Amino acid sequence: MARRGAGTPFLLQLSLLLLLHLGGTLGCASVAVGSRTVPLGSAVTASCTIQRELCRGLEQGKVRISWMLDNKLVAGSQRQGPGGTEVSNLTLPRFNHTQARLWCCVEWNGTKQRVGMAEIRAGYPPAKPLNLSCVLNLSDYGLTCQWEQGTDSHLPTSVVLKCAGKPHPLPEGPRAHCSGCRRSRAQAVTGCTPQGGHSHCTVPRRLLQLYRQMEIWVSATNALGTAESEHLRIDPMDVAKLDPPTLQSIRSIPFQTDCIALAWDVARGTEHMELQCELRYRAPEDPAWALVTGIIGRAGTAQHCGFLFGTQYRFQMRCRRSSASPLANWSEWSPGRNYTTHEKAPTGKLDAWWKAQPAGPGGRLEVQLRWKAPRQREANGRVLGYRVTLSPRRRGRDPPTICNTTHTQCNFSVPAGTRRVYLSAYNAAGESAPTEVVLLERKGQPLAGLRAVPGGERSLWVHWVAPLAPVIAYVLEWQRVTAEPGHCSACWQMERDGAATTALIQDGIEPFQRYNISLYPLYEGTVGVPVHTTAYSQQKAPSHAPKLHLRRISRSEAELCWAPLPVEMQNGFITSYTIFWASSIADLASATVNPSLSSFVIRGLKPSTQYKVHIMASTAVGGTNGTSLTLVTAVLDDTEIQFLFLTLGLIFVLLMVLLICFQKNERMKEQLWPSVPDPANSSLGKWVPAAVPQEPLQVLAAREPGPAAISTVTVLEGDPGKQPRKEPPALPADPPALPRPYVRQEGPGEPVQYARGGGAGYRGQRLLPEPAPRFYENLRARGDGGGAGDWGFPEEPPATFPLLQGLRIGGAEELHE
């Protein structure tokens, strides 16, 4: 049919497509492949043949054939075959799919139409089954076998367990590789097929031959081949799974103190069998079981020696047929039974260590004696206690006991000069021979060096340098370092080998804890001075970091301090402290501090700036950060603040001194602030004589003076150190008049006397609540220069000084008081 254009109706296209598919299903195309199951990775060949007359719609026009592997286009070659057919060949050099569909397609109307298909699978030949084993169940006498299948072949595989009886005896041996053996036609091959893909199945009793050897194997088959396991030649009864025996009783043999006798019985259903049994036992502290083999018989007793005294053991037993091959199965172990052997007096010597010091003025010696408990092999039972005496025990006489305890240490006092004590252990069966303990002085040669390294999470290896003098033994002590001092009485051990230079500490060692280790060399007749070291069995980062405290701060420096971490929190040797600080405007800075220090000064800070500071404590394993401390630097340093306060203080003191001087020194005040009188505010107008006589003033001149303006009142005093200067003779005057007081008249009431004139001068009196009067300059009047003590004043006041008109010169003695 000719190809229609784009305007062909859709229904016509659909009908043509259906016709093409119907033609293909009626044999339009045929696909042939070399093999539908091939080894994985091998080549695959295929061909597709198109018959035009059977493909409706393809009778005319050119046919184009293409290939698709699943949904992937692959290229093939095309040619014209006989009878007008079109043939396309395809070769895939490596087929790497475990399963795929190969499609043959033709192009019609611009689309690829699938007209033929072949499904191809790829994989491997079956793997050889491994580890075939069988067990005969005596309850139903079915033989159950199991094996390991091996690697997956990616192909459908059938697995069958096969077994065949042997009409003739076979050569000796546990296994027979009989895959190439010829079997008679009468030899029947039976077996079972595993269900559900399992690797085990059971051959029923009717297909088995008991008490005769059979050949058993596993066969696996797929499209690429067949594989068989190794063939087993066994008597099904040899692999029978027996029930375990029963332990009846266990007892010690009285005359052979380290031997026991054990009675046992077989399980039901096996009374007629000759059995081979095994016995195992173990003490609670033993790491593994001890095995006793070669117990033969149906039932009865068994004896064994070499047991420790006073020790609890657990016994178990199992059996199998004695005539069975080495492939025969053992029964399960019987239920356990416990038994404790009888005791015997302890044997051997005790390891002892001591410390001795004078007790004071009493003349006795205080001794702390420690020892190790005897090992189970030497204790011969449960130790009930220990006894310390000053002398060994002799026949028929027991020495006095200075210590009897159930612990492994004892403190006691002995007379000064005691050099030996005797230690023994006892149990319910008796007492051990005493161990002599010589209390030697510790003044021998010390070791040249000592170090300790981790031996594991809970152990330490100690290494030392042997001294030149011969050493009998070494005593190793260790103590856990804690904030609260303590003492471990069991934390020591004795090394009996004097040539040893290493020792392993395992008792009481915990990770992340510090231990002080001391080593004492024991010489002939003395004990060496100990050497010491510290060690950790395991380290980690500290649990906490120290807490920072601010000790002082200035404008550019800050001193920080911290308390050392408790030793329990260090978890290792502190290798360093690191101080970190940063501000909002500066990058993070740090400094490393020696672990022996507990303070640090940060320098180069900016004034009036906030900083955040924290500390990190580090060990060899890691570090831990502490909490952050916020601090703010000062604006001024302490020296600057002190200088500023000193300057302000000096200025203040200077101002106070100047103020006091100005207030106390009137002359200075007059020089700096002279007083200018204000006539308008003068109070002289208010002063009047108390009683003015009605007599005219005697004046030197004939004319009457007018009112005089008074501006200043001057107090005249005589200078006792100077003689008055002689004045020219004065004019004749009237006899002196009596002095008259002057008063200040403020208002009604009594007048108040203010001043009174005297013969030698004037003195002011401050009798009113007025400001203090100013001192006036003493002026010497011109006189006649009379006798001594005369100030030269005229007997009559001049007419120009009206204020003195009412005053009389008199009372010179009062003025000099």
Side-chain angles (χ1 to χ4, degrees):
M1 181 181 290
R3 181 178 177 182
R4 302 293 299 274
T8 304
F10 174 75
L11 293 177
L12 180 59
Q13 294 183 12
L14 182 59
S15 62
L16 289 175
L17 182 61
L18 292 175
L19 290 174
L20 181 63
H21 277 280
L22 290 174
T25 57
L26 293 176
C28 171
S30 62
V31 177
V33 294
S35 177
R36 293 183 179 271
T37 303
V38 297
L40 189 64
S42 63
V44 173
T45 60
S47 65
C48 179
T49 302
I50 303 296
Q51 298 182 10
R52 291 176 177 269
E53 63 274 9
L54 298 180
C55 297
R56 298 176 183 176
L58 297 179
E59 294 85 355
Q60 298 177 359
K62 185 178 181 180
V63 178
R64 294 182 179 180
I65 304 173
S66 61
W67 295 89
M68 293 185 68
L69 184 63
D70 285 340
N71 295 320
K72 182 179 179 182
L73 185 65
V74 291
S77 62
Q78 183 175 346
R79 62 182 175 85
Q80 189 172 7
T85 61
E86 293 289 334
V87 180
S88 176
N89 295 322
L90 173 68
T91 300
L92 300 176
R94 293 181 59 86
F95 189 80
N96 294 323
H97 301 268
T98 58
Q99 184 176 0
R101 292 183 177 182
L102 186 61
W103 296 92
C104 177
C105 306
V106 295
E107 292 188 8
W108 179 82
N109 200 23
T111 61
K112 295 182 183 298
Q113 305 298 329
R114 298 177 179 180
V115 295
M117 183 270 292
E119 186 172 359
I120 304 174
R121 300 186 67 126
Y124 302 103
K128 179 181 178 179
L130 303 173
N131 299 329
L132 175 62
S133 63
C134 300
V135 175
L136 182 67
N137 189 355
L138 294 180
S139 61
D140 58 359
Y141 287 91
L143 183 67
T144 301
C145 298
Q146 60 182 7
W147 60 91
E148 294 179 7
Q149 188 60 49
T151 58
D152 186 12
S153 65
H154 304 294
L155 296 174
T157 303
S158 62
V159 180
V160 178
L161 176 67
K162 297 182 178 182
C163 59
K166 288 295 182 180
H168 302 287
L170 296 177
E172 297 291 332
R175 295 175 183 261
H177 304 278
C178 300
S179 58
C181 296
R182 295 182 179 179
R183 300 185 182 91
S184 65
R185 295 183 178 179
Q187 182 180 354
V189 177
T190 60
C192 61
T193 301
Q195 301 297 324
H198 296 292
S199 298
H200 61 82
C201 68
T202 301
V203 180
R205 169 69 180 86
R206 59 185 175 81
L207 301 178
L208 298 177
Q209 297 177 7
L210 300 182
Y211 299 102
R212 292 183 61 182
Q213 288 188 345
M214 298 185 67
E215 185 178 356
I216 301 173
W217 72 97
V218 177
S219 176
T221 304
N222 64 14
L224 298 180
T226 300
E228 293 184 352
S229 69
E230 292 186 0
H231 291 223
L232 295 181
R233 275 180 28 194
I234 58 173
D235 179 355
M237 290 301 297
D238 289 344
V239 293
K241 185 77 171 181
L242 306 181
D243 292 332
T246 303
L247 295 177
Q248 299 293 339
S249 64
I250 305 172
R251 61 184 179 87
S252 295
I253 299 177
F255 300 104
Q256 298 176 350
T257 55
D258 63 341
C259 297
I260 64 163
L262 184 143
W264 57 282
D265 195 7
V266 296
R268 293 183 58 184
T270 60
E271 297 87 351
H272 61 284
M273 297 181 184
E274 191 71 19
L275 301 180
Q276 175 187 357
C277 300
E278 290 181 345
L279 176 70
R280 70 177 184 179
Y281 61 89
R282 183 173 70 174
E285 63 273 7
D286 292 339
W289 292 89
L291 189 64
V292 180
T293 61
I295 303 176
I296 304 298
R298 289 186 173 89
T301 61
Q303 294 184 4
H304 186 67
C305 299
F307 294 96
L308 300 178
F309 297 99
T311 304
Q312 184 185 50
Y313 291 93
R314 185 169 183 84
F315 295 87
Q316 287 182 314
M317 198 172 188
R318 67 178 182 177
C319 297
R320 70 177 181 179
R321 287 184 61 207
S322 61
S323 60
S325 67
L327 295 179
N329 296 303
W330 288 95
S331 69
E332 298 294 337
W333 288 102
S334 66
R337 188 180 182 95
N338 295 331
Y339 179 75
T340 302
T341 58
H342 64 274
E343 294 187 352
K344 181 182 176 182
T347 58
K349 300 294 184 180
L350 298 174
D351 289 339
W353 182 235
W354 72 92
K355 289 183 179 180
Q357 59 183 359
R364 298 184 67 83
L365 192 68
E366 289 291 337
V367 179
Q368 182 190 57
L369 184 63
R370 294 179 287 169
W371 57 89
K372 291 292 185 180
R375 292 181 291 271
Q376 183 63 33
R377 185 174 297 275
E378 299 171 347
N380 296 331
R382 187 172 67 91
V383 176
L384 300 179
Y386 303 91
R387 184 178 288 109
V388 181
T389 61
L390 291 178
S391 61
R393 184 176 66 254
R394 293 180 175 86
R395 186 183 301 273
R397 185 164 61 94
D398 291 334
T401 300
I402 58 176
C403 184
N404 191 350
T405 180
T406 58
H407 303 288
T408 56
Q409 70 168 359
C410 184
N411 298 329
F412 54 87
S413 62
V414 295
T418 302
R419 287 292 174 261
R420 287 176 174 82
V421 294
Y422 298 88
L423 174 66
S424 60
Y426 58 89
N427 59 16
E431 188 171 351
S432 68
T435 299
E436 184 181 50
V437 181
V438 183
L439 306 178
L440 301 175
E441 296 182 1
R442 299 180 179 180
K443 58 181 181 181
Q445 178 185 356
L447 299 176
L450 177 68
R451 65 185 180 92
V453 295
E457 185 177 344
R458 298 180 182 274
S459 62
L460 289 169
W461 275 108
V462 182
H463 303 265
W464 64 87
V465 179
L468 299 178
V471 178
I472 300 174
Y474 293 95
V475 174
L476 198 60
E477 284 187 339
W478 61 93
Q479 293 291 334
R480 179 177 169 181
V481 181
T482 58
E484 298 181 358
H487 184 75
C488 174
S489 61
C491 297
W492 69 278
Q493 67 186 40
M494 181 174 290
E495 299 295 328
R496 292 289 185 181
D497 185 6
T501 57
T502 59
L504 180 63
I505 302 176
Q506 293 179 298
D507 295 337
I509 301 298
E510 297 290 337
F512 319 123
Q513 299 298 324
R514 184 185 301 178
Y515 291 89
N516 287 333
I517 301 173
S518 304
L519 184 63
Y520 299 80
L522 303 184
Y523 302 102
E524 186 70 32
T526 186
V527 177
V529 177
V531 290
H532 311 279
T533 188
T534 57
Y536 283 87
S537 64
Q538 188 178 357
Q539 300 187 56
K540 67 177 181 179
S543 300
H544 302 284
K547 184 177 181 180
L548 284 176
H549 300 278
L550 181 63
R551 180 175 292 176
R552 65 176 181 86
I553 190 170
S554 63
R555 67 194 305 268
S556 62
E557 295 182 355
E559 183 176 3
L560 307 172
C561 63
W562 59 89
L565 283 175
V567 67
E568 295 91 342
M569 300 294 180
Q570 294 182 12
N571 299 331
F573 294 109
I574 300 297
T575 56
S576 65
Y577 293 109
T578 306
I579 310 296
F580 299 90
W581 67 91
S583 65
S584 58
I585 59 175
D587 295 333
L588 181 68
S590 63
T592 302
V593 183
N594 191 287
S596 61
L597 302 178
S598 60
S599 63
F600 179 73
V601 179
I602 304 177
R603 294 182 171 87
L605 302 179
K606 295 181 180 180
S608 187
T609 304
Q610 178 177 301
Y611 288 87
K612 289 187 177 296
V613 187
H614 73 274
I615 187 173
M616 180 178 71
S618 301
T619 64
V621 180
T624 301
N625 289 321
T627 56
S628 179
L629 174 67
T630 302
L631 53 89
V632 180
T633 54
V635 179
L636 299 174
D637 286 336
D638 293 341
T639 305
E640 296 174 341
I641 295 175
Q642 293 176 1
F643 179 76
L644 179 61
F645 275 102
L646 181 61
T647 303
L648 294 177
L650 290 176
I651 294 174
F652 178 75
V653 171
L654 183 60
L655 291 177
M656 292 300 296
V657 170
L658 292 177
L659 182 61
I660 292 174
C661 291
F662 291 156
Q663 289 183 351
K664 296 298 182 182
N665 196 332
E666 295 293 340
R667 181 171 296 178
M668 184 175 294
K669 292 171 61 176
E670 287 291 340
Q671 293 295 330
L672 297 178
W673 299 288
S675 177
V676 178
D678 186 3
N681 296 326
S682 177
S683 60
L684 292 179
K686 300 178 182 179
W687 294 89
V688 295
V692 180
Q694 300 296 325
E695 56 182 7
L697 295 175
Q698 297 181 4
V699 296
L700 296 178
R703 66 181 180 88
E704 186 71 24
I710 301 174
S711 62
T712 304
V713 177
T714 303
V715 179
L716 304 178
E717 294 184 356
D719 190 352
K722 284 187 177 182
Q723 293 294 330
R725 183 174 56 183
K726 291 190 181 279
E727 299 290 340
L731 296 177
D734 293 335
L738 295 175
R740 288 181 297 176
Y742 275 74
V743 298
R744 181 178 181 180
Q745 188 69 33
E746 292 289 347
E750 293 295 329
V752 179
Q753 180 179 349
Y754 178 76
R756 185 174 55 178
Y762 298 94
R763 172 177 297 176
Q765 296 181 358
R766 289 184 293 175
L767 302 178
L768 296 175
E770 290 289 332
R774 298 182 181 274
F775 296 97
Y776 295 92
E777 180 182 346
N778 293 330
L779 302 177
R780 298 183 180 274
R782 297 178 177 271
D784 55 358
D790 187 10
W791 289 83
F793 289 101
E795 293 183 359
E796 281 294 331
T800 59
F801 210 86
L803 180 61
L804 300 180
Q805 290 293 330
L807 301 178
R808 297 298 182 186
I809 303 300
E813 66 280 2
E814 296 179 6
L815 295 175
H816 286 287
E817 294 178 357

